[in-house]
Amino acid sequence: MRSLYLKFVVITIGIMLVSSMLAFLVSNVYYQHKIKPLNDQKNTVIAQDIASFIEENRGVDLQHYLENISSIGYQIYLVDSSGNEYHFGAPFRDKSLPVLTKEYVLKGNIYHGMLQFPTSTFVTGFFANELKNTIGVQMEYKGQNYGLFIRPDINLLFNEMHYLFSWILIISITLSIVMVLFSTKYLVKPISNLTKATQALAMGQFNVDLKVTRHDELGELTDSFLKMSKQLEQMDDVRKEFISNISHDIQSPLSNIKGYTNLLENDSICHEERSKYISIINGEIARLSILTKQLLLLASLDRNEDILEKKTFNLGNQIKELVHHYQWAINEKGIMLSYSLPDIELNGDPSLLNTVWDNLLSNAIKYNKPSGSIDISLEDKGKFVSITFEDTGIGMKETELNRIFDRFYRADLARTRTVEGTGLGLSIVGTIVKLHGGQIIVNSKEAIGSTFIVEIPVR
Ligand code: ADP
């Protein structure tokens, strides 16, 4: 049984069969212990009533009277002490009755054939049309001793009910099976649809056509699947864009290098031009070197989250050293730099965090206006330390702000084209800050400046 549909149908019908068998067994126990004695008792009273009526009304025509009784729904067997037998009403299917039983009744005892009827016949014993399944009482009529055996004529009394209950049973079984077949289809269909969608997804088709029409667990599963396929599609787009960006960013310096080395092969170029080309080639090599270093760093940040080598260090000093390192570039651009960097200790990865400050400070210098200003401040805010880099640079548009942490994203090229960059710096910054459990808040206004606030939790 490989299909879920078939399994479901077989299991449900199996459960229906087992539960009806159990219900039959339980109702049988109830019949044997409760209904059977009651039935026996009821019919004993009726048999005794018939016998005492005959005894009290000596003038009654016995045959006529018993025929009447049988016509209202009883099967009657009469035997006298000489062994003469008489039957009234519908005949018994099994007419055998031990001689001892007849004698036992003729002696004045009551025969409880209904109560003693074997339990192995289950509840169906109630319907057994046998002479043994009767109540026998002794009576006298016109000086003669008789044994009177009676049982209700089930066929006469319950025939219509028989048909009714049989029809109810047949219709309910048929309807249940039909409903199980349909309801199972309803239950299993979304799973089959999901399976098809999963197979399509595995083949790279992200546009899954699935409708969420249910609000149960299967609806939730379909909904989660749709979300997952959307995320996978986005990740696939990012991957493709990433590869095309890398290819472009590697290809363009390489073709520049190739172009300028070809020019250098020409012996007729002057010394000045030669050194200009060499400096361009060196610039492109440096760019490639930065790009590959950044890519390697991103790859290792992506690969494992335990990359952090944490230790406690003086954050203020670290940023001061960095400022010192950039002093020349700051002076060259005529930028005014101010800072407030108190001695604050932080537990984190000093080398990776240095990369964060390095990127933020170099961006603040790169995207600053000539004679602009930069302000760096460090504050202990209790649960976290806050590091702010504020510049009066070119700033960014609202739409650009949302994308600056994306890999290879560089804002409006018209404004930044004069500035060297790979578009990887801030995505590295974002990843490192995230690995430290921190966050970055960016405020920026076009042509006014930008503020990057990094918050790193102390613990
Ligand atoms: P890049 O190598 O281009 O500097 P980053 O990832 O560091 O790459 O920055 C992404 C983009 O965000 C930059 O290209 C620039 O457009 C914008 N940006 C980053 N820092 C600043 C800033 N301080 N002022 C204005 N724009 C900035």
Side-chain angles (χ1 to χ4, degrees):
M1 272 195 295
R2 288 180 59 191
S3 94
L4 185 62
Y5 175 74
L6 206 62
K7 270 186 198 162
F8 213 89
V9 169
V10 171
I11 288 174
T12 316
I13 294 177
I15 289 173
M16 276 160 59
L17 285 176
V18 171
S19 51
S20 16
M21 266 154 66
L22 281 175
F24 180 73
L25 287 174
V26 170
S27 53
N28 180 57
V29 171
Y30 185 69
Y31 169 77
Q32 298 292 347
H33 288 91
K34 279 263 183 243
I35 299 180
K36 205 160 130 177
L38 274 179
N39 193 34
D40 184 279
Q41 219 174 19
K42 199 172 76 183
N43 283 292
T44 305
V45 172
I46 293 169
Q48 282 173 328
D49 280 353
I50 296 171
S52 50
F53 180 84
I54 293 168
E55 282 174 354
E56 281 161 19
N57 299 281
R58 287 168 194 281
V60 75
D61 179 344
L62 183 63
Q63 182 163 353
H64 192 218
Y65 176 65
L66 290 181
E67 270 169 4
N68 266 340
I69 296 283
S70 66
S71 69
I72 58 168
Y74 283 91
Q75 290 170 276
I76 299 173
Y77 167 72
L78 196 67
V79 62
D80 63 19
S81 39
S82 322
N84 298 316
E85 299 174 314
Y86 311 92
H87 286 276
F88 302 92
F92 288 102
R93 188 182 54 77
D94 182 351
K95 293 192 178 80
S96 62
L97 188 70
V99 180
L100 279 175
T101 308
K102 296 175 194 171
E103 284 171 1
Y104 176 76
V105 171
L106 285 165
K107 276 182 198 156
N109 298 307
I110 299 175
Y111 169 63
H112 292 283
M114 286 182 178
L115 189 64
Q116 288 153 16
F117 204 72
T119 48
S120 56
T121 56
F122 295 110
V123 75
T124 49
F126 177 78
F127 301 100
N129 181 14
E130 295 178 24
L131 186 48
K132 282 191 217 85
N133 195 12
T134 54
I135 296 292
V137 292
Q138 185 260 344
M139 66 165 205
E140 267 186 35
Y141 178 70
K142 292 188 177 166
Q144 176 70 278
N145 197 15
Y146 287 97
L148 173 75
F149 294 81
I150 68 155
R151 68 172 263 103
D153 186 345
I154 306 290
N155 243 353
L156 188 72
L157 293 175
F158 302 119
N159 207 19
E160 294 74 17
M161 283 294 155
H162 261 155
Y163 283 122
L164 189 71
F165 284 119
S166 307
W167 273 115
I168 288 175
L169 201 69
I170 291 169
I171 291 172
S172 61
I173 288 174
T174 320
L175 278 181
S176 311
I177 291 175
V178 171
M179 280 176 179
V180 164
L181 290 175
F182 278 101
S183 62
T184 308
K185 260 227 146 62
Y186 168 76
L187 275 176
V188 171
K189 200 161 187 261
I191 298 177
S192 320
N193 289 346
L194 262 177
T195 313
K196 276 186 209 140
T198 317
Q199 283 161 351
L201 195 68
M203 308 277 286
Q205 291 167 23
F206 296 103
N207 272 338
V208 187
D209 183 25
L210 273 180
K211 283 185 189 66
V212 188
T213 46
R214 312 160 60 128
H215 302 289
D216 55 7
E217 285 85 347
L218 280 176
E220 274 174 35
L221 181 65
T222 314
D223 196 37
S224 309
F225 182 84
L226 284 174
K227 281 184 191 145
M228 185 187 79
S229 62
K230 276 222 162 60
Q231 271 172 4
L232 282 176
E233 188 175 13
Q234 278 168 6
M235 276 163 66
D236 194 57
D237 287 347
V238 169
R239 186 182 60 87
K240 283 180 186 148
E241 201 186 317
F242 188 72
I243 291 171
S244 96
N245 281 331
I246 293 180
S247 317
H248 174 262
D249 278 40
I250 290 176
Q251 192 54 44
S252 69
L254 281 179
S255 18
N256 278 349
I257 292 170
K258 192 171 179 335
Y260 285 106
T261 43
N262 282 348
L263 288 176
L264 282 176
E265 273 171 6
N266 186 348
D267 292 335
S268 62
I269 52 169
C270 66
H271 178 74
E272 243 172 53
E273 264 179 314
R274 186 174 292 272
S275 41
K276 187 181 143 200
Y277 296 161
I278 289 173
S279 120
I280 293 173
I281 290 171
N282 276 335
E284 294 293 19
I285 290 171
R287 196 170 124 77
L288 271 177
S289 164
I290 292 171
L291 180 71
T292 44
K293 269 186 201 147
Q294 284 183 322
L295 281 172
L296 278 173
L297 179 58
L298 262 180
S300 60
L301 287 174
D302 280 348
R303 239 197 332 266
N304 78 63
E305 300 209 337
D306 303 326
I307 193 171
L308 298 188
E309 285 176 22
K310 284 192 175 180
K311 63 178 182 194
T312 306
F313 65 98
N314 190 314
L315 190 55
N317 279 349
Q318 186 183 49
I319 302 175
K320 271 186 219 153
E321 267 174 41
L322 190 74
V323 170
H324 188 68
H325 184 78
Y326 275 100
Q327 201 62 58
W328 183 80
I330 294 167
N331 290 343
E332 196 191 39
K333 234 181 158 178
I335 291 172
M336 271 274 298
L337 186 121
S338 58
Y339 59 75
S340 149
L341 296 166
D343 285 338
I344 290 176
E345 300 270 305
L346 179 76
N347 186 265
D349 187 316
S351 156
L352 289 179
L353 284 174
N354 197 53
T355 310
V356 171
W357 323 134
D358 193 324
N359 271 297
L360 294 177
L361 181 57
S362 64
N363 279 350
I365 300 169
K366 271 196 307 190
Y367 302 109
N368 219 319
K369 291 175 218 149
S371 314
S373 68
I374 297 174
D375 184 62
I376 309 171
S377 61
L378 169 62
E379 263 179 283
D380 186 348
K381 301 246 177 176
K383 285 192 175 159
F384 59 90
V385 288
S386 159
I387 308 99
T388 309
F389 288 80
E390 192 177 347
D391 66 60
T392 54
I394 57 170
M396 282 168 278
K397 290 181 193 147
E398 190 82 26
T399 46
E400 293 168 342
L401 269 183
N402 301 327
R403 298 206 53 199
I404 53 171
F405 292 98
D406 291 354
R407 287 173 191 188
F408 289 109
Y409 179 77
R410 304 202 68 207
D412 190 358
L413 285 177
R415 288 183 296 125
T416 54
R417 73 183 158 190
T418 48
V419 186
E420 280 290 318
T422 57
L424 288 174
L426 283 183
S427 75
I428 291 173
V429 166
T431 315
I432 296 173
V433 172
K434 214 161 136 194
L435 284 175
H436 280 83
Q439 60 164 345
I440 310 179
I441 303 153
V442 190
N443 298 314
S444 187
K445 274 223 157 69
E446 210 182 349
I448 290 179
S450 314
T451 312
F452 286 77
I453 306 162
V454 180
E455 291 177 348
I456 309 265
V458 175
R459 267 173 234 292

